[in-house]
Amino acid sequence: MTVGQGERIKSWHHAPSRPRYTPPPGAVDAHCHVFGPMAAFPFSAKAKYLPQDAGPEALFALRDHLGFTRNVIVQASCHGTDNAATLDAIRRSDGRARGVAVVDPAISREELVALHEGGMRAVRFNFLKRLVDDAPKDRFLDLAKRLADGWHVVIYFEADILAELRPFIDAIPVPVVIDHMGRPDVRQGPDGADMVAFRRLLDSRDDIWFKATCPDRLDPHGSPWDDFAGAVAPLVADYEDRVLWGTDWPHPNMQDAIPDDGHLVDMIPRIAPTAMLQRKMLIDNPMRLYWADEAVGGEAPGK
Ligand SMILES: O=C(O)/C=C(\CC(=O)C(=O)O)C(=O)O
């Protein structure tokens, strides 16, 4: 697809329900995106989808509606390596958002410093062929070696390439966060081949984290996403200090199965049934990665 052609798609719920589950004060939605607004922040010429505007106002309204305090905004592939829309959203958040950037691996040290000052704390390496044209492992690795203390790498891949990616991941010298657990087939259950391979990765280092996100993407049986809950709850319990959670709003490419964000929040007690697990997943763990400069938990700045 070439951006500028075709209809702009809408992949998010027009009126998400209010969740029955109430997140603890200080909870972080650690995986979400902004789209545009396009008039101010045009999409990349290489974008594989052309969404309607889903800017910071809508994101922060959803945050409040769902009972969250902070956001980690992940640069979406439709904006390529121009992080202006994500930086603008962070700037407007009153200190309540931080970000994950997507950059040209040749980025200069000065540009990385500017991203840090803008609230970025990680770079994302996307290996999904339907989203990006190329993912040069050698150049990604060179960049990972140049990241400042306190930064990490976020990797997005599907389960069928985990084995092939292992030498690359093993060589990354900073902490690693895996998006959507590397997209396991949750129908295999908690002891299926995909989860076993993913646990082997987690066991290989103690600085690999993961997002227990996207029942809507990973569970083909749909809401209430029972297969997702069954496969993911044991992982959360066994790796409680390394798990993050997020809505994934505005759910890029999910226009044919748009999830109700209130229902997504109601998955939290099903995968993290105790108050302690919820606190770790929603506050302590994301705070350590994204707000290491602040005391863990508590009120957000500007509140
Ligand atoms: O929102 C996600 O994490 C997943 C995406 C979109 C994405 O990552 C991107 O556009 O950068 C997907 O599977 O289409």
Side-chain angles (χ1 to χ4, degrees), residues 124-197:
R124 189 187 202 207
F125 300 149
N126 189 335
F127 286 92
L128 266 68
K129 290 197 172 68
R130 68 177 165 80
L131 293 173
V132 291
D133 293 331
D134 60 337
K137 291 196 203 73
D138 48 345
R139 299 183 71 216
F140 285 166
L141 200 51
D142 286 346
L143 171 60
K145 290 176 184 163
R146 296 196 291 120
L147 294 177
D149 277 357
W151 274 55
H152 63 273
V153 157
V154 174
I155 309 182
Y156 188 25
F157 61 86
E158 290 176 317
D160 63 343
I161 65 161
L162 173 54
E164 176 202 324
L165 282 183
R166 275 302 300 270
F168 165 73
I169 298 175
D170 294 350
I172 292 177
V174 295
V176 173
V177 175
I178 309 291
D179 276 346
H180 320 329
M181 300 163 289
R183 298 190 61 123
D185 181 346
V186 295
R187 292 170 301 184
Q188 297 171 353
D191 304 316
D194 289 354
M195 275 296 181
V196 167

Side-chain angles (χ1 to χ4, degrees), residues 57-302:
E57 275 178 27
L59 175 64
F60 301 149
L62 181 81
R63 173 199 68 199
D64 296 345
H65 174 74
L66 298 177
F68 281 76
T69 302
R70 307 184 197 229
N71 298 104
V72 179
I73 307 174
V74 178
Q75 166 83 352
S77 60
C78 56
H79 279 296
T81 56
D82 180 351
N83 293 278
T86 304
L87 288 165
D88 173 69
I90 296 169
R91 197 163 39 238
R92 291 169 187 271
S93 74
D94 204 11
R96 294 167 70 180
R98 289 248 155 111
V100 175
V102 174
V103 302
D104 182 322
I107 187 171
S108 71
R109 193 182 149 78
E110 292 70 30
E111 288 168 312
L112 282 169
V113 169
L115 289 177
H116 185 93
E117 284 165 359
M120 298 291 192
R121 291 295 181 270
V123 291
R124 189 187 202 207
F125 300 149
N126 189 335
F127 286 92
L128 266 68
K129 290 197 172 68
R130 68 177 165 80
L131 293 173
V132 291
D133 293 331
D134 60 337
K137 291 196 203 73
D138 48 345
R139 299 183 71 216
F140 285 166
L141 200 51
D142 286 346
L143 171 60
K145 290 176 184 163
R146 296 196 291 120
L147 294 177
D149 277 357
W151 274 55
H152 63 273
V153 157
V154 174
I155 309 182
Y156 188 25
F157 61 86
E158 290 176 317
D160 63 343
I161 65 161
L162 173 54
E164 176 202 324
L165 282 183
R166 275 302 300 270
F168 165 73
I169 298 175
D170 294 350
I172 292 177
V174 295
V176 173
V177 175
I178 309 291
D179 276 346
H180 320 329
M181 300 163 289
R183 298 190 61 123
D185 181 346
V186 295
R187 292 170 301 184
Q188 297 171 353
D191 304 316
D194 289 354
M195 275 296 181
V196 167
F198 190 62
R199 280 171 178 263
R200 222 176 277 132
L201 172 70
L202 294 176
D203 292 341
S204 71
R205 280 163 60 165
D206 59 12
D207 63 348
I208 301 184
W209 308 54
F210 63 96
K211 297 176 187 167
T213 36
C214 289
D216 49 315
R217 289 185 195 280
L218 300 182
D219 189 338
H221 293 134
S223 179
W225 305 303
D226 291 336
D227 283 350
F228 181 92
V232 172
L235 195 72
V236 173
D238 290 346
Y239 299 89
E240 61 186 21
D241 293 317
R242 301 200 250 158
V243 59
L244 310 172
W245 188 89
T247 55
D248 187 40
W249 189 89
H251 313 291
N253 299 309
M254 291 301 290
Q255 57 276 9
D256 294 330
I258 295 174
D260 178 328
D261 299 277
H263 295 170
L264 289 172
V265 173
D266 284 333
M267 290 299 283
I268 291 171
R270 297 182 66 203
I271 60 169
T274 68
M276 189 197 70
L277 279 177
Q278 291 160 14
R279 183 177 174 91
K280 288 186 174 202
M281 183 170 82
L282 299 175
I283 304 174
D284 298 351
N285 298 345
M287 289 298 289
R288 271 161 61 205
L289 276 179
Y290 293 98
W291 280 271
D293 46 333
E294 287 181 27
V296 165
E299 290 293 290

